[in-house]
Amino acid sequence: DKPVVELFIWGYCPYGVQAQGPMAEVAPLLGDSADFKAILYYDGHGAFETQENKIQECIQQIAPEKYWDYAADFVKNIYPVCSQTRDIDCDKTEAVKLMNSLGIDSNAVLSCVESQGESLLSEASARAKELGVTGSPTVIINGVKANVDRTADAYKTAVCVAFNNAPEECSAQLDSTAATASGSC
């Protein structure tokens, strides 16, 4: 009755970012009817990615209702800049600015990063291993891998198929112009 949707990504994986943007359109649309979670399970690009993974995991702990707004703006505004510099200070500065602009308590998030960040990443990694996730992005709906294009409409359709009784929001048309490229980190 309430599908569980898990998006497994690395914070700075370009392919994961291709998935995160469209999923950030679907999650608010169906969020009252389904459970959406981003699982930031690996950090193959360095310390700046480790930090961003912790930030995003902590936002989901502290301000889950604002996470997908953060994710959408991360894709548009932080990723293009900080993925080029690969700089941990760039990531932190831009993340704090974005959190503050969205009304997310950045001090609480950064405190969570320090106190719970490692354990949250360990939990995310364990969840990925449990489900056999080997690449970013991977979408799991109710424990089953969904192989769909990386568009908002394709994600919405995949989630809506999982309902016993699909909500009326499933009839909404979403933009499908996002990247449908394949590939993973």
Side-chain angles (χ1 to χ4, degrees):
D1 289 328
K2 191 167 188 171
V4 175
V5 182
E6 297 168 293
L7 175 63
F8 289 82
I9 54 174
W10 308 4
Y12 276 96
C13 169
Y15 304 106
V17 171
Q18 281 180 345
Q20 194 174 25
M23 192 65 82
E25 293 179 52
V26 177
L29 177 70
L30 298 174
D32 290 339
S33 304
D35 289 328
F36 288 84
K37 173 108 170 82
I39 313 287
L40 292 108
Y41 74 99
Y42 191 73
D43 52 0
H45 295 105
F48 74 111
E49 184 168 58
T50 305
Q51 176 178 266
E52 185 59 36
N53 289 355
K54 290 176 183 180
I55 288 170
Q56 289 193 36
E57 286 287 348
C58 283
I59 290 171
Q60 292 180 90
Q61 296 289 313
I62 292 167
E65 73 286 356
K66 295 182 180 181
Y67 171 74
W68 292 103
D69 292 333
Y70 177 91
D73 283 347
F74 171 83
V75 168
K76 290 177 195 161
N77 300 313
I78 296 176
Y79 176 81
V81 175
C82 298
S83 67
Q84 299 302 310
T85 65
R86 302 175 70 89
D87 179 45
I88 195 167
D89 293 328
C90 175
D91 178 71
K92 184 175 183 179
T93 299
E94 295 303 316
V96 167
K97 282 196 292 192
L98 178 53
M99 286 185 276
N100 291 340
S101 76
L102 294 172
I104 298 169
D105 184 345
S106 60
N107 289 327
V109 170
L110 294 178
S111 177
C112 170
V113 165
E114 290 300 315
S115 64
Q116 298 176 51
E118 287 299 322
S119 64
L120 290 171
L121 294 187
S122 291
E123 289 170 21
S125 179
R127 181 71 177 148
K129 184 177 250 179
E130 170 190 339
L131 294 172
V133 170
T134 58
S136 168
T138 299
V139 177
I140 305 281
I141 302 173
N142 291 336
V144 178
K145 185 177 180 183
N147 292 311
V148 296
D149 286 339
R150 294 173 194 163
T151 68
D153 202 55
Y155 286 147
K156 178 201 62 140
T157 299
V159 174
C160 288
V161 167
F163 284 103
N164 290 326
N165 296 301
E168 66 182 57
E169 291 84 0
C170 286
S171 62
Q173 289 297 311
L174 297 176
D175 184 15
S176 289
T177 60
T180 57
S182 61
S184 65
C185 291

